[in-house]
Every structure is written in structure tokens, then in C-alpha cells.
Amino acid sequence: ILAKKANQNEIMIDFKVIQTDLKYEEGVINSMRGCKYRTCKSKGCVFCSMKESTLRVRDPELVLKEMAQEAEDLGTEWFFDGADTFILSKKWLKSFSSTRSNLILNGYNILEKLKTFTYVNPCDVTDKEIPHLLYNCGTRKVFLGIDSGDNDVLISMKKPKANVEYNH
């Protein structure tokens, strides 16, 4: 069965349909789908099997409101972001961070206690402002995607910007 293509920025999930007889340890959010390295000039790396060549970025406000709703309905405090990297750009992180702050000030104070676990590429955190932005976005655990400890392997993967120095 194929569903018709939907706009990911128009859908709100109804968490009340989920059985709540157990406490949910971790919720899942999707801030975006696709890989920013797959959409670049080189058509990305060969590390993963992702074939999609577009990025579909969700509105930070919608993602944060979904988190708040899930936390209220299911008691979730930790969220795993399933995006291929949470750092699309510094501009996007700033938008997510400021949206989170604005929502907290405007009745979504539950967001203040919610924590996220996100994927990050080592080359994306060389900018000293990025860790602070991640923290302001609610990120409390980071998975660093270190694809290899060998520069020759990284070059053959065609992973832009990746190198052993950044991984270290």
C-alpha cells in the first residue's frame, strides 16, 4: 500500500493512539530526512546506502511542538533525532534554538526539560559556536559519526570535509 506523498510540515502526530501502560524511555523525532552530503556537487559519500538526493527539512516549530505533545501524552523526556545529521547549517541550528526559546516563553515550558540525542559529523563541530547552539537546542547526547580512522578510506568514500584530524 502506498500513501500519497505528504508535506512533512503539515502533519501533527496524535500520540493518544499509543498505549500508555508502559513509560516510554525515548521518543523519536525527525528534524529532517536526507543527507546534506548527498545533495552536494559530488553527490555525496558512499558510506551509507541512502539514495535520496534531496533534503526535506521540517519546520523547527512543528518538531518542537510534537516533542512537547509526546512528552505530555506519554511522559517522554529523552528524544532521539533520526536525522542523518542534526547540523544542517548554523542558520538552521540558530532557528531551532530561537524557536525553542520562544516556545518555552510562550506556554511550552515543558520543552525546557526535554533532552535530545543527535547525530553529528565531526567536521560540523569545528566551529566553536556549534556546541553551544546544540545545547540551546536541547541536545544533551551526541553521536559522532566517525566513518574511518584512515584518510585514504575517507577519500575513497567521497565524504566531503571528513578527515582523521576532524575525527580526532
Side-chain angles (χ1 to χ4, degrees), residues 24 28-29 31 41 74 77 88 105 121 129 131 134 142 165:
Y24 287 82
V28 177
I29 59 171
S31 57
K41 286 180 185 177
L74 303 177
E77 289 186 24
L88 172 65
L105 293 173
N121 292 302
E129 189 178 4
L134 285 169
V142 172
E165 183 183 339

Side-chain angles (χ1 to χ4, degrees), residues 31 39 46 49 108 116:
S31 57
T39 60
V46 295
S49 60
Y108 285 87
T116 59

Side-chain angles (χ1 to χ4, degrees), residues 1 3 5 9-10 19-20 22 33 36 40 51-54 66 68 71 84 98 103 109 113 126 141 150 165 168:
I1 299 172
K5 196 167 187 165
N9 285 313
E10 294 176 352
Q19 250 184 321
T20 58
L22 297 172
R33 288 307 313 149
K36 70 179 182 176
C40 65
K51 301 293 183 213
E52 195 165 330
S53 61
T54 59
E66 278 182 3
D84 297 297
S98 64
L103 286 171
N109 52 339
K113 72 176 190 171
T126 56
K141 289 184 184 179
D150 183 305
E165 183 183 339
H168 182 67

